[in-house]
Amino acid sequence: MKQLVQIFAAVIIFALGLQYLVVYLNAEQGYSGDNTLTVYNWGDYIEPELIEEFEEETGIKVIYQTFDSNEAMLTKIQQGGTTYDIAVPSEYAISKMKEEELLLPIDHSLVPNLKYINPRFLDLSFDRGNEYSIPYFWGTVGIIYNASLLPEGMEFDSWDDLWDDRLDNQILLVDGAREVMGFALNSLGYSLNDTNEEHLQEAKRKLNELTPNVKAIVGDEIKMLLAGEEAGAGVVWSGDAAEIMGENDNLDYVIPKEGSNLWFDNMVIPKTARNIEGAHKFINFMLEPENAARNAEYVGYSTPNQAALELLPEEISEDERFYPDVELTERLEVYRNLGKRMLAHYNELFLEFKMHRK
């Protein structure tokens, strides 16, 4: 009898252990239920305390996972093995996700705080009527430079300034095909969405000429390297520039006169979401002006939330480097969805440029 009790107890313990293991694995895999919400976002792209406050306010546990590129995010969602309730892709990725029917429409009646978004950032070409996406952050791609490390009087107002012979081994580039190919195309007077093969090859040849000036092509560590004065200049996203400049007063940021990328990151609900109600609550929570302002101040990127903008310190909200006027932004370009084949070609050309440096 005692042996049977021991066996029964062992079975119960095993079953409970298995249950906890399943819960743990579900969390790791991104599986959600009514009281959990799996958010898939860029790294260091939310004020951490906001997650805790959302959990306290709603009773919903947030499982937060990150990605480092739109392509990585798309692949994960396309595979479908992991369920996410919220993702934060960029505009061209949203367009692609719509084409592949990877998104659920958003019920605007459940997102009353949408009223705080500046109309300038609504109803854009990649998602008319914001049927599938809600604005989160926006920004530009430009040049950050450290005047104290550069020849006296040297400034930047053009992409061509990167090719200056005096910048030998002084430039850091973000590890992104669209960004690097894009500024090369812009420097030649072409669109950063150009698909003309002659223009693309011309851009790659010009990038090859930049090689002596390029110290490294890096990921998130570009912020630490530039703040630590390991290089004199870099091509970065505007929010990263704001963060770097906050750590080193010698740095400045400029959007080159030839034009550049104007990008938008929006919140979406993937088609495989399990907590759709919770997803709407999260979107609405992040649009609350006080929350959006705190998020913008922490992350450093530009908020599309007009009410939040009014709550930010003037040194942030009135800084035209990060909140450029409409006249300038109308000269900038949004990345278009170039299609799988052309995007692969961009990546191939970018890889050839990186290999040319070795």
Side-chain angles (χ1 to χ4, degrees):
M1 184 68 177
K2 184 178 180 180
Q3 187 176 11
L4 288 174
V5 171
Q6 290 175 331
I7 293 172
F8 180 75
V11 170
I12 293 296
I13 291 171
F14 176 79
L16 288 173
L18 183 61
Q19 181 180 1
Y20 282 120
L21 178 62
V22 169
V23 171
Y24 173 79
L25 289 176
N26 282 350
E28 288 297 295
Q29 293 294 324
Y31 298 137
S32 327
D34 292 339
N35 64 341
T36 62
L37 187 80
T38 305
V39 178
Y40 200 28
N41 200 357
W42 298 83
D44 199 24
Y45 212 39
I46 193 169
E47 211 274 49
E49 290 185 3
L50 288 174
I51 296 176
E52 297 175 9
E53 292 172 19
F54 174 78
E55 292 177 327
E56 292 173 2
E57 182 178 306
T58 64
I60 298 173
K61 173 66 178 175
V62 174
I63 301 163
Y64 193 81
Q65 299 185 15
T66 63
F67 56 86
D68 58 9
S69 72
N70 280 293
E71 289 68 34
M73 178 275 305
L74 274 168
T75 298
K76 201 79 174 286
I77 291 178
Q78 286 167 336
Q79 290 172 346
T82 306
T83 299
Y84 297 107
D85 300 301
I86 292 283
V88 189
S90 303
E91 66 295 313
Y92 73 93
I94 292 170
S95 176
K96 185 174 181 60
M97 294 172 86
K98 285 171 55 180
E99 286 180 5
E100 298 186 11
E101 299 184 346
L102 296 174
L103 300 176
L104 291 175
I106 291 174
D107 185 344
H108 287 196
S109 70
L110 299 179
V111 190
N113 288 336
L114 184 60
K115 65 186 177 185
Y116 296 119
I117 297 294
N118 187 326
R120 172 184 170 193
F121 302 108
L122 295 172
D123 195 33
L124 300 178
S125 60
F126 59 88
D127 185 25
R128 292 297 184 191
N130 292 91
E131 185 178 1
Y132 295 96
S133 68
I134 301 295
Y136 185 69
F137 280 127
W138 67 280
T140 59
V141 173
I143 300 171
I144 187 170
Y145 63 96
N146 189 329
S148 69
L149 300 180
L150 301 176
E152 186 175 354
M154 186 174 188
E155 295 183 357
F156 291 87
D157 68 354
S158 166
W159 288 118
D160 277 337
D161 293 330
L162 294 174
W163 278 262
D164 192 307
D165 292 340
R166 295 174 292 172
L167 290 176
D168 182 62
N169 200 39
Q170 281 284 349
I171 298 172
L172 297 177
L173 302 180
V174 293
D175 192 6
R178 293 299 300 267
E179 288 73 25
V180 175
M181 287 294 297
F183 79 70
L185 287 164
N186 279 161
S187 74
L188 292 164
Y190 303 137
S191 165
L192 48 72
N193 294 303
D194 204 322
T195 58
N196 180 297
E197 184 60 23
E198 290 185 8
H199 296 170
L200 293 176
Q201 292 296 334
E202 186 179 353
K204 194 195 78 169
R205 287 194 297 272
K206 188 168 183 179
L207 283 174
N208 288 344
E209 295 170 4
L210 183 64
T211 294
N213 290 358
V214 178
K215 184 170 187 174
I217 300 173
V218 291
D220 284 342
E221 62 269 33
I222 195 170
K223 293 183 285 187
M224 176 186 67
L225 293 170
L226 287 165
E229 300 195 336
E230 296 294 329
V235 175
V236 297
W237 295 282
S238 54
D240 284 355
E243 182 179 342
I244 300 164
M245 290 162 58
E247 298 180 18
N248 189 324
D249 293 336
N250 292 326
L251 292 153
D252 201 357
Y253 176 77
V254 64
I255 302 170
K257 62 186 179 183
E258 297 92 344
S260 185
N261 170 230
L262 176 66
W263 56 262
F264 303 92
D265 287 344
N266 285 18
M267 293 177 281
V268 301
I269 303 176
K271 194 170 185 177
T272 54
R274 296 194 177 188
N275 192 349
I276 298 171
E277 180 181 355
H280 283 86
K281 287 181 179 179
F282 184 83
I283 292 172
N284 197 57
F285 177 85
M286 295 306 298
L287 295 188
E288 190 68 39
E290 293 81 4
N291 296 339
R294 284 172 54 195
N295 203 30
E297 193 164 5
Y298 175 86
V299 174
Y301 282 99
S302 305
T303 178
N305 191 312
Q306 185 61 45
L309 188 62
E310 294 168 2
L311 298 176
L312 289 170
E314 288 185 359
E315 60 265 26
I316 295 177
S317 63
E318 296 183 4
D319 192 333
E320 293 186 354
R321 293 169 299 183
F322 305 108
Y323 288 92
D325 60 28
V326 176
E327 182 180 352
L328 173 58
T329 57
E330 285 183 348
R331 292 195 289 110
L332 306 180
E333 292 182 275
V334 174
Y335 289 135
R336 291 201 312 265
N337 175 16
L338 300 179
K340 186 177 295 185
R341 180 175 296 180
M342 184 53 65
L343 181 59
H345 188 42
Y346 264 67
N347 289 332
E348 178 185 5
L349 293 172
F350 180 51
L351 180 60
E352 289 176 7
F353 162 58
K354 290 200 287 187
M355 295 298 293
H356 182 268
R357 296 184 57 253
K358 296 181 178 179

